[in-house]
Structures are given as structure tokens and as C-alpha cells.
Amino acid sequence: MTQPMTPALQIDGLNVYFGAPHESFHAVKNASFTVEKGASFGLVGESGSGKSTILKALTGLAPQWEGTMRVAGQQLGAKRDRRFYRSVQMVFQDPYASLHPRQSVDQVLSETLYLHGASNIDDRVNRLLEDVGLGSAFRFRYPHQLSGGQRQRVAIARALAPEPEILLLDEPTSALDVSVQAEILNLLSDLRAEHHLTYVMVSHDLAVVAHMCDQAAVMQNGEIVEILSIDAMRNGDARSDYTRQLLAASANRVA
Amino acid sequence: MSQDTGTLRDWLLSETPTSRRQARWAAAYKGWLTLRANHMAMAGLAIIVLLVALALFAPWIAPHDPFVQDLGNRLQPLGSEGHILGTDSLGRDILSRLIWGARITLYIVALVALIAPIAGLLVGTVSGYAGGWVDVILMRITDIFLAFPRLVLALAFVAALGAGIENAVLAISLTAWPPYARMARAETLTIRSSDYISAIRLQGAGPLRIIVKHIWPLCISSLIVRVTLDMAGIILAAAGLGFLGLGAQPPSPEWGAMISEGRRFILDHWWVATMPGLAIFTVSLAFNLLGDGLRDVLDPKDSPQ
């Protein structure tokens, strides 16, 4: 253990199951990968390949898992404590489902800040809204008064509120239309540079992963088929057939 | 801000509220506008407001004392002198008794509407959110209460506790909460697995906070609608208990008890039973109309836009 820096995230032999014990579904099979501090790691694969499930297991939303998961060297147990949630946060796929329909932006952000024991909540709410490019005019709006992109910005602000080190992005742009997708991706890139964040990004869109990440794991049927750098992906240096297929299918978009 | 130049209406309908208070008032005002557009709901609301006014100002509005008997003037028909709605078998003015009876009806409705939905909401959301054994136990208790016919169970309670308004309220509440619990549980099950609950869990919120601050606000709107729709049933149950002599006791001018008294003369003096019956019908209808309108306003599933 003489490494100069402990990796931000280390996952080793992770298995995740869904459903009752005797008829459970093996959603993630023996997944292992490491994400260095400050890196941006992509998880790609078709729907149902188990990529989002890894994020769920990590955040404690999928309780039936085995294997080891380490965040900044700390091994995770069955329960997550508040310290974990202060260092790892998640942005959900569908901004139309991830905001409480009866709570204004202000309520969402203030409660998050309150739960993490923040002081001067008022100022921080305004600052968070500035950070995600919304501004304080949006502070007292309800989700139904916001567009999809604006909602996703609020969801990102909520995830940034506890000042996490690792941000898990579960297909953050797949529910948005193309022009808004680019805005959100640029915002995420800027935020990563600004707040020195580590990203784990799930996507089925290779172009998005190629734009955002340095390294990606390709998943199929719950298994990680291969882990490759984005440069290798661009050059088409894939070892497994599945990855080659995937690359061929979106060839004109990755480069 | 531009409050001096703009009107209150502009302030309320602003797309960019500037304070928590404004955002909340704006949401309420928009709901009111939706409700106002529904004429039937407004008619229901008007009747209920009138009922509340009658109950509040009963001593000044009622032309006669509801308890004073005048045996020389008994069973006077509609429109007789000094008694627009006639008199009952003891010569008491029916209109005055109806007006005073509004107090009892409102009292029963308000108490049941406080007890039953809150108990149901508690049981349902806890059961739905906790799951597992808690869910099984709470839902089987609910099943037991649901399996009894409502009036029969209420009768049993009143028989055990003694006749009277308070016990009637208690009995009706005890039989009224299970449907609310069922509904709250069903809603909680869908809300529980939604992303915004996952999101607040990822902020480290405990189950109590999630249930009270995130699940209740979404259940309450449909519960309010259900309560107003059930009000008619509650009034009828209270009237039924009164009719059977197990609710309000004579000489109390409770509407159900008045029908029960009038029953003896129903062939020769129909108005004695019909007038309180019409009152029950009108108020039940009003609550139903209002409930229907409130559903359009409060249902979070089709929020405006």
C-alpha cells in the first residue's frame, strides 16, 4: 500500500441480485474496476446490461450485493452513513421523475443543505443555482414551471449541495433533447474542472461517453466485457467482439 | 419589486416568484382559479359556506327556539303562519330545528374528518413505506375492519360505548379509516420507488422525514378529495345512527333523529320527515360536488402546464 494516492473508487468482484432469494435475478456479475481521483469513468452497454445497477448498489439503493466496494479507501458495509452521502452523490436519469412535484427548487435545495448540516443556507442556495447556470430567479419555482434541462440543472445542484468528491451520473442526458443534452454535458464538464470532481457516468450513448470520459467499461448481460481508454475506443482498438460491434454501430459519432 | 405598479393578481401569477411566501400564495391562487372555473364545485362550496354560516349564527337566524313545544300547534303543514316548514309532532318549528341541527351535522363531520383520514394516513403510509412485517400486521388489522359492514360495526361500537353524539362520531371514525389506510398505502408504494424519494434518501434523510415531508404531501391531496366524497356517507351514517336511536338523543335536533321522529307520521304529515331528509340530501350533494372539483385542483398527477 505504498501507492501515492488511494483511488476514489474501487470495486472488486461485485455481484448484485434483485428479487427474492430463491428466484433472484443476477443483475451484475463479478464486476471490478477502479476509478482514480479526478478521473471520469464511463459505463456503457445496452439497456438491461446492469450499468445503472452498479450505481444503485454503490449508493445503497440495491441492498442485495456482495463483493467489496471502497470509496477513498474506506470499505462500504451494508448501510451507508451520512458521511458517505457527503462524499458520493448521484444525478438521476429522468429529471421529470427525480424532483418532488410539490416542492419548489428552494425547498429541495434547502432541505438537502439542512440535512448535511450547512449553515447560511440562503446564500448557499443562491450560489448553487448560480453554479448550475440557473440564477436566483428560479429559486421559488416548482418543477412543473421548469423545462427538462432546467430540471436537470436543479438535480445537479442538489447533488452538488453536500460538496461531494464523487458524482455518479445515471444517463443524465438521455431524457433530454439533443440541444439541451450538449448544454448539460458542457455544464458537467465545467463543474468537474471547477470542483475537482470524480465522475462515474452511465450511458448507452458512446458519443456522450467519448465526450465526457477518459476511460470506459463496456458491459453486456451484467458482465464487464472490457475496460478500455477513450483513445483506444476512438482508434477502434477493442479486444472483444461485443465492443467492436458497439463501436461499429456508432462509428461515425465517436470520432 | 413592482408591487406598487402591478396589481395583486399580477403578483400572484408571476412566473418568477421572489419569495417563499409568494410562491406558496401563487400556487394556492392558481388552484382557486381552477376551482372557480368549475361551476358545480362552486355551487357545492356555496352550500357548504351557507351551512357553516347557518351553524355559526343559528341563535340569530332561527325564528323559534328549537326545543320549545307547543302541543296546540303540532303537525302544522308547510307555509303555515310563523312556521314556513311546518311543525313536528310536539309543535316545534322544523326550520329552527334544521338550522340548529346544522351545528350537530358540522360537528360530526368535522370530528370524523379529523380522526379517520389522519389515522388512515398514518397507518397506510407507515405500512407502505416500511413494508415487511409491519405492512403485513397493519394491513391485516385494516382487513378486519374492512370486512365488517360499516353501519353494523358502528352499531356494535355504540351499543358497547353507549348512545350519544360523541360515541357515534367515534364509531363512525373507527369504521371509516380503513379505506383511507388502503389508499394511502397504495400511493405510498408507488411514491416509495420513485426517483425523488431515492434522491432524498441519498441525502441521508431518515424514514420519518421521508414519510412526513415527502410522502404525506402527495397523499394528502387525494385524501382530501376522498374525504369530501365520503362526507355524504359520514352524514348519512350519522343520520342512520340517529334514526336508529343510537346517535343524538331527543330532544336534540339532529337531522337523522328528526327523520326517525317523523317516520310515525310519514303518510299523513310527510313534511316532518321529508324536510330533514332534504337537508341531508342537499349537504351530501354539496360535499360530493366540491369533492369532485377539488380532485381536479389537487391531483398532482396532472399538474398544470
Side-chain angles (χ1 to χ4, degrees), chain A residues 59-61 82 85 88-90 92-94 97-104 106-107 110-112 114-116 122 136-137 139-142 144-146 158-159 162, chain B residues 14-21 23-24 27 30 194-206 209 213-215 217-218 221 297-301 303-305:
Chain A
T59 49
L61 295 174
R82 205 159 276 188
Y85 292 129
V88 181
Q89 278 295 324
M90 176 149 154
F92 291 84
Q93 175 174 8
D94 183 2
S98 70
L99 294 177
H100 195 288
R102 285 297 164 106
Q103 287 186 342
S104 65
D106 175 64
Q107 282 171 297
S110 314
E111 185 173 24
T112 305
Y114 169 80
L115 282 167
H116 291 285
D122 260 9
S136 48
R139 183 167 169 187
F140 298 102
R141 291 212 191 171
Y142 286 88
H144 66 80
Q145 296 170 308
L146 302 174
R158 172 175 59 192
Chain B
S14 155
E15 268 296 299
T16 50
T18 50
S19 68
R20 261 166 232 176
R21 199 165 52 94
R24 208 163 295 153
K30 276 171 201 153
S194 63
D195 279 355
Y196 48 85
I197 298 297
S198 298
I200 193 70
R201 272 172 70 190
L202 292 193
Q203 308 298 345
R209 168 176 288 268
K213 295 197 77 170
H214 295 261
I215 294 181
L218 290 175
S221 48
V297 177
L298 292 174
D299 201 340
K301 274 146 215 138
S303 50
Q305 177 119 348

Side-chain angles (χ1 to χ4, degrees), chain A residues 118-129:
Chain A
S119 51
N120 59 336
I121 288 176
D122 260 9
D123 295 345
R124 297 259 325 255
V125 170
N126 283 330
R127 194 143 29 100
L128 279 170
L129 286 173

Side-chain angles (χ1 to χ4, degrees), chain A residues 3-255:
Chain A
Q3 284 176 319
M5 202 164 61
T6 43
L9 186 65
Q10 231 178 336
I11 286 180
D12 218 5
L14 177 72
N15 287 288
V16 187
Y17 307 89
F18 282 126
H22 54 281
E23 48 177 0
S24 67
F25 174 66
H26 201 165
V28 174
K29 295 164 193 156
N30 200 24
S32 306
F33 62 88
T34 304
V35 183
E36 296 301 332
K37 219 171 167 166
S40 176
F41 188 87
L43 283 167
V44 284
E46 55 198 90
S47 21
S49 60
K51 46 198 185 345
S52 297
T53 309
I54 292 182
L55 299 192
K56 285 211 172 108
L58 192 61
T59 49
L61 295 174
Q64 290 173 276
W65 57 274
E66 53 199 34
T68 50
M69 296 193 276
R70 284 201 180 83
V71 171
Q74 295 275 333
Q75 186 155 345
L76 299 178
K79 287 226 159 125
R80 307 283 181 278
D81 56 7
R82 205 159 276 188
R83 221 186 51 215
F84 169 83
Y85 292 129
R86 209 167 295 160
S87 59
V88 181
Q89 278 295 324
M90 176 149 154
V91 176
F92 291 84
Q93 175 174 8
D94 183 2
Y96 292 89
S98 70
L99 294 177
H100 195 288
R102 285 297 164 106
Q103 287 186 342
S104 65
V105 175
D106 175 64
Q107 282 171 297
V108 170
L109 296 180
S110 314
E111 185 173 24
T112 305
L113 289 166
Y114 169 80
L115 282 167
H116 291 285
S119 51
N120 59 336
I121 288 176
D122 260 9
D123 295 345
R124 297 259 325 255
V125 170
N126 283 330
R127 194 143 29 100
L128 279 170
L129 286 173
E130 294 294 339
D131 277 354
V132 296
L134 280 178
S136 48
F138 289 87
R139 183 167 169 187
F140 298 102
R141 291 212 191 171
Y142 286 88
H144 66 80
Q145 296 170 308
L146 302 174
S147 71
Q150 289 167 342
R151 288 182 197 219
Q152 196 61 303
R153 283 171 195 264
V154 174
I156 292 169
R158 172 175 59 192
L160 288 176
E163 298 180 339
E165 280 128 41
I166 302 176
L167 205 55
L168 309 175
L169 306 163
D170 185 1
E171 308 211 30
T173 57
S174 66
L176 306 172
D177 61 61
V178 180
S179 60
V180 183
Q181 276 187 14
E183 279 175 32
I184 296 290
L185 290 175
N186 289 336
L187 171 71
L188 286 169
S189 300
D190 294 347
L191 288 172
R192 182 171 152 228
E194 221 172 288
H195 297 261
H196 311 291
L197 295 164
T198 305
Y199 280 177
V200 177
M201 182 167 195
V202 163
S203 183
H204 61 257
D205 190 341
L206 282 176
V208 167
V209 169
H211 176 71
M212 292 290 295
C213 305
D214 337 303
Q215 212 185 12
V218 180
M219 291 191 72
Q220 186 189 21
N221 298 330
E223 281 173 274
I224 294 187
V225 180
E226 95 173 90
I227 299 179
L228 72 174
S229 73
I230 293 304
D231 291 334
M233 201 186 259
R234 286 208 173 96
N235 300 332
D237 296 343
R239 269 169 288 123
S240 78
D241 288 341
Y242 181 70
T243 314
R244 268 196 290 274
Q245 272 176 33
L246 213 60
L247 286 173
S250 52
N252 49 350
R253 301 178 59 203
V254 180

Side-chain angles (χ1 to χ4, degrees), chain B residues 44-89:
Chain B
L45 185 66
I47 294 174
I48 291 163
V49 168
L50 190 72
L51 181 76
V52 172
L54 280 181
L56 276 178
F57 304 112
W60 295 279
I61 294 173
H64 297 273
D65 187 313
F67 300 112
V68 166
Q69 306 180 1
D70 180 3
L71 289 177
N73 242 342
R74 67 196 288 263
L75 297 172
Q76 291 293 311
L78 295 182
S80 56
E81 207 184 332
H83 304 287
I84 299 171
L85 295 182
T87 59
D88 68 3
S89 60

